[in-house]
Amino acid sequence: MHASQASLKPIILCPLEFECQQLEAAGLDKSCELICIGPGSESIMDWAQVNEVGDREIVLAGLAGALSPEFAAGSAHVVTRIIDENGEDTWTPTLVLEKADFPGEIIATSTHAPLTGRIARKIMNQETGGMLIDLESVAFAYAATKFGWSRWGIVRGISDDFATLLPKGLEEWIDESGQTRWG
């Protein structure tokens, strides 16, 4: 493949290395450029500030938690709107992606640390209208706007449904590059 052909491949950003590995195992590395950027909004902004997207399609793909009971663990969703954690600023992806498991609008929001319990998830859902929660979607939407990405989208798989209680300190299991910390 020529360098010019490679530069036309869509970009898929994954916060975590194992997310990239799953997409690679599914064969997406043959048609897309898969990049692990590390978790959190800071990783999105750091990557966006030093990489040129141009007219290429760019997708944020990875895991999210459910903020309401209708989203099952293991399901995949194309995000149709992003709302900030204050419920004020919103963005609409410009890239039309094939719908995954849930018909209708899918609203994602972000937080700075994982929400470990149902009460926190319910409050976030009520305050923002968000249906999915992650650490990166808001920063990705903001970066798309700030850096003028013309074709961007978000796909999220549900790792933890509404009823799942996450262990405290979960964020310490992954390092800043998206690698799993062992031991």
Side-chain angles (χ1 to χ4, degrees), residues 117-131:
R118 284 179 229 125
I119 294 172
R121 289 175 192 234
K122 185 175 183 176
I123 290 169
M124 182 64 87
N125 172 264
Q126 290 171 341
E127 289 180 354
T128 66
M131 303 156 98

Side-chain angles (χ1 to χ4, degrees), residues 105-176:
E105 183 171 57
I106 303 293
I107 304 168
T109 190
S110 298
T111 186
H112 299 290
L115 300 180
T116 58
R118 284 179 229 125
I119 294 172
R121 289 175 192 234
K122 185 175 183 176
I123 290 169
M124 182 64 87
N125 172 264
Q126 290 171 341
E127 289 180 354
T128 66
M131 303 156 98
L132 310 180
I133 186 81
D134 61 39
L135 303 178
E136 301 86 17
S137 287
V138 168
F140 184 79
Y142 175 81
T145 302
K146 179 178 180 175
F147 296 103
W149 302 342
S150 60
R151 299 186 297 165
W152 62 276
I154 300 174
V155 177
R156 289 302 205 178
I158 304 298
S159 57
D160 44 294
D161 63 22
F162 183 75
T164 301
L165 300 176
L166 298 176
K168 292 190 188 297
L170 175 70
E171 62 274 10
E172 298 300 320
W173 297 3
I174 304 290
D175 69 18
E176 62 281 345

